[in-house]
Structure formats: structure tokens, C-alpha cells
Amino acid sequence: MKTNTDHLPRPLEGVTVLDLTTALAGPYATLLLAGLGARVIKIENPRSPDTARNNAPFIGRDGVHMQRRHEDDMSLAIMERARNKQSITLNLKSPRGRELFLQLAAKADAVVENYSAGTADRLGVGYAALSAANPRLVYTSISGFGANMVSAQNKAMDTIVQALSGLMMTSGGPNDPPVRVGVPFGDLAAPLYAVIGTLAALMQARSTGRGQQVDVSLLGAITAMVAAEPFEVMRRAGQETRTGNTMPRLAPFGVFATRDGYVAICAPTDGFSAALFDAMQRPELRADERFSSRDQRVKHNEALHTLVEDWMRTLGTDEAVQRLEACGVPSGRVRDPGEATRDPRLLARGETERLEHPVYGAVDDVVVGGLPIRMTGSFTGFDRAAPTLGEHNAPLYGALLGLDEDALRTLAQDGVI
């Protein structure tokens, strides 16, 4: 975990965000805002908190295990997604709970929620209700299909969105079944757009005094990314759109097997392809009319990729990487996630980081994502562990709403907090 040893300011200092999110898509958005310095107050129902709190694996005094062994074991999911956040409990289904939330919203800059479309309005905490209490509030909604799309199929999980977006039909070979991307792409892409929209709306609110609703859907986010590649145009032009580990229209371009692993090579330009031929010790291929221009390399991509495949199979991965690097060929070994996330460069920059239990410290070697944004005049990243459920009830309700211990005790007894 990073430390702000230089005492730098944080980009979003002074911004208060009420976090009504659960699972992954919403919490990842608020995690990014927290990493940029916003005060993110995670609000959970005391009787049914974020389901991520009970997701395996768990980390505790005995290290990492798939079952909770001790009361203070924490879910890896919540430890990762709630860093730098504060936690309070509040039952929004109770009239008193909604009343308290409206009071909190009146003092906040932004609210982020990822309920199914229509749910926030039914709870009485939708944009219309909150904007009446705080006209400058930015209200960000992350949903499967859009905040205005209420239908029978109103719940979306990442795999469903991957299927509907066409993403599953972009990887693999021509005759392969759909390929699910192992990283929850929809649950991570939508939050990026949500954060961009939230920051833009906050800037506008500062200049106009008026907030607005920011509406991002998982399906929209991931489909927009799929549409960035001209799959449909290529299909109409007679080109195969599912080409496995090579990309014919940029040949030589793809992932190739070595004797003991795989290496990615991306050499679409004349200069890069010439460098590849030098690495292959086949300089005569520079003059081969089949490979002398980009159009010709694309036309003869199968022959070219076969030559590269045959050469790569004669080498170990280390030797292949060294030869390619020596000749200036854009390339990289294929690493498994464990090796990749422990890259010393990433750890040094805070782009990945080792996760520690808030009480027991580094009980196991667990590496998670950091904040891959560095700034020269600001501190960005995570320097506070995830809170326990309701850890900040007393200080936050006291500071923001003036509630004392007796009031909080009564609210707890009534099931409001």
C-alpha cells in the first residue's frame, strides 16, 4: 500500500461521494474516485450488506483460505474494492433511513449507484428526489442496459453483457464456439466511463451550480468498445472477423508458440516487418514481393505467419524475446496473471500493489490492481485499508448530521443503521 510521504494534495480533495454500489461495476467506479482523493462513503444495509463481503477467498490471521475461519477474516473482494473508503450502515427501506440519506445527499457532491433500472426511484433515492434536496448533486447510475431501460430482463451480469455485446464472437477461430473473456470486461469498462462522466459533471456543476444524472450502461460501454474494431465492415468485405491469435489485416501480427511458451509480435509497418526478418536472420524476405509492402503482407498473411510460426518453434521464449528486442521488433512474452501483476515496474509505480489485512498485515502474497494514474503534483492511489461494516458510523453521522451516541444507539436498535 502506498504512503503519501511527500504530503502531496489529492486531486479530488473536498469532493464527497455517497456510494450506494455493490458487487463489482459500481464499487470499482467509486474505488477509482477514492484513489483520486474523494471522500467516498460506502453505504450498506446493516442486515444485507454488499454481497462482496461474503465472497471467497478470505484473508485473515491464517493467510488466504476459501472459507472464513475467524470473525475478523475479510473477503478479498471487499478488501480490494473498498480501499480508501469509509463505511456506514443505513437501511434505505425504512422511512427514517431515507430521511437520513436525503440529509447526507444535501451535503454531498455526488452519488453513485448501480441498482437495476428503476430500483432507486422505488426506494425514494433516485435522481429526481435527490436533486430536489441538492440541485448541484451529480448522480451517477451504472446499470446493465441504461437507467431509462426498465424491462423484464433488467438484470445484467458480465457474462450476459459479453454475450449481448458481440464480444464473445470476436475472439477464437472462425468455427469456434463463443469465447468468454476471462476478465470481467463489462464490469470494468462501464466504471471507467462512469468516472469520466462523473468528473465532467462535477466540473460543470462547479461552473453552473447545477448537477445532473450521469447514466452509463454495461451493455453500452462494452459494445462501444467492440464497435471500435470494424468487424461488420470486414465481414461485408469478405474478410474473416474471428482469426484466432493472428490479425491478418496487420500481418505480421499475432501470438506465436515457442518451444516453451508464447510470444506476441506486432510488426505491421515496413520498418517493423524488416526488423522481424532481421531477427529471423532472413534478410532476403525484405525483397520478397509477397512481403515488400503492407498490402502485400496482408494479401499473403497466411504464408507470412507460417514463416514466423516455424521460426518461433525453433527457439525458447527467452531467446526469442532477446532476438526480437535486439532488432527493435515490438514484442512481449505471454505471461500468466500471477507473473504479470508482480512485474517490479508495475509494483514500483503503484499500478499493482500487495494487499494487506488491516489488522494482521501482509499475511500472504496477494497482489491486486492499484491506481494506474500518476501525477506530478498530486498523490494518487490507495493508502487506507478497506473498512469493516459500519466502521465510521459514529464519526460520520456525528460530523455530517450532528447525531450523538444516544441517537445512534436508538437508530441501531430500530434497524435504521
Side-chain angles (χ1 to χ4, degrees):
M1 190 166 289
K2 297 177 69 176
T3 54
N4 189 6
T5 53
D6 294 328
H7 304 290
L8 293 172
R10 301 168 194 258
L12 295 183
E13 276 184 3
V15 174
T16 296
V17 179
L18 302 183
D19 180 1
L20 293 177
T21 68
T22 62
L24 176 54
Y28 190 67
T30 51
L31 174 69
L32 298 178
L33 293 171
L36 291 170
R39 175 168 65 172
V40 175
I41 302 173
K42 184 172 178 62
I43 299 172
E44 300 171 76
N45 189 312
R47 297 177 180 174
S48 56
D50 189 341
T51 55
R53 288 192 179 273
N54 293 313
N55 286 355
F58 298 94
I59 301 177
R61 66 190 77 171
D62 299 331
V64 176
H65 295 281
M66 293 305 294
Q67 290 81 35
R68 183 180 272 118
R69 293 186 170 188
H70 306 283
E71 186 176 343
D72 57 3
D73 287 357
M74 294 184 69
S75 164
L76 171 58
I78 206 71
M79 287 178 65
E80 179 181 10
R81 300 168 199 172
R83 286 170 291 172
N84 276 50
K85 299 180 183 180
Q86 296 175 303
S87 172
I88 63 174
T89 52
L90 186 61
N91 182 3
L92 296 177
K93 295 181 179 180
S94 72
R96 179 61 172 146
R98 285 191 296 274
E99 179 185 334
L100 290 174
F101 183 77
L102 287 173
Q103 293 176 24
L104 291 171
K107 298 177 178 292
D109 299 287
V111 169
V112 183
E113 55 92 0
N114 67 331
Y115 296 120
S116 297
T119 300
D121 289 328
R122 288 196 299 274
L123 288 172
V125 295
Y127 176 62
L130 297 193
S131 63
N134 182 356
R136 63 180 177 81
L137 187 73
V138 171
Y139 187 99
T140 298
S141 300
I142 305 171
S143 61
F145 308 107
N148 62 334
M149 294 293 175
V150 181
S151 63
Q153 167 54 308
N154 202 26
K155 298 184 184 297
M157 296 186 182
D158 184 82
T159 298
I160 295 170
V161 175
Q162 285 195 30
L164 292 172
S165 67
L167 180 66
M168 289 185 176
M169 298 301 289
T170 63
S171 299
N175 300 313
D176 289 345
V179 177
R180 185 184 70 84
V181 177
V183 172
F185 205 67
D187 280 339
L188 296 175
L192 299 179
Y193 287 112
V195 169
I196 293 169
T198 300
L199 296 178
L202 285 169
M203 289 187 67
Q204 185 174 336
R206 285 186 176 182
S207 62
T208 66
R210 296 294 303 182
Q212 59 188 299
Q213 184 172 17
V214 177
D215 177 6
V216 175
S217 77
L218 272 67
L219 181 61
I222 198 170
T223 307
M225 291 185 169
V226 170
E229 279 290 305
F231 293 109
E232 180 66 12
V233 173
M234 291 195 303
R235 185 190 63 78
R236 290 205 305 266
Q239 298 295 309
E240 181 56 60
T241 59
R242 302 182 73 197
T243 58
N245 279 334
T246 62
M247 187 176 289
R249 68 184 180 88
L250 296 177
F253 199 106
V255 178
F256 303 93
T258 66
R259 287 201 309 258
D260 55 3
Y262 296 87
V263 174
I265 297 174
C266 303
T269 67
D270 291 344
F272 288 147
S273 63
L276 175 59
F277 298 148
D278 290 344
M280 296 169 64
Q281 298 180 334
R282 296 287 303 275
E284 73 278 5
L285 294 176
R286 290 172 174 241
D288 191 315
E289 64 179 22
R290 297 175 300 168
F291 313 134
S292 59
S293 70
R294 181 164 180 166
D295 286 346
Q296 285 293 96
R297 290 191 295 275
V298 171
K299 181 179 180 180
H300 300 284
N301 71 85
E302 291 186 9
L304 177 53
H305 284 145
T306 297
L307 286 171
V308 177
E309 288 169 358
D310 292 345
W311 171 65
M312 291 289 285
R313 286 197 183 96
T314 68
L315 304 172
T317 301
D318 289 343
E319 183 182 0
V321 168
Q322 290 169 6
R323 288 199 190 185
L324 292 165
E325 288 179 349
C327 293
V329 182
S331 58
R333 70 177 68 238
V334 175
R335 304 189 291 196
D336 66 41
E339 179 186 6
T341 57
R342 287 169 175 77
D343 187 318
R345 297 169 296 186
L346 301 178
L347 290 167
R349 288 171 54 84
E351 293 161 333
T352 59
E353 64 179 39
R354 286 186 163 85
L355 195 64
E356 297 186 3
H357 190 280
V359 176
Y360 303 109
V363 295
D364 213 323
D365 182 26
V366 179
V367 177
V368 298
L371 186 70
I373 302 171
R374 292 173 62 88
M375 298 184 181
T376 56
S378 304
F379 175 81
T380 60
F382 307 108
D383 58 351
R384 298 196 309 275
T388 56
L389 182 64
E391 180 178 332
H392 300 98
N393 276 354
L396 284 178
Y397 280 123
L400 295 176
L401 303 184
L403 299 178
D404 59 21
E405 290 185 8
D406 290 339
L408 293 177
R409 189 178 303 109
T410 300
L411 290 170
Q413 290 170 351
D414 293 342
V416 177
I417 64 171

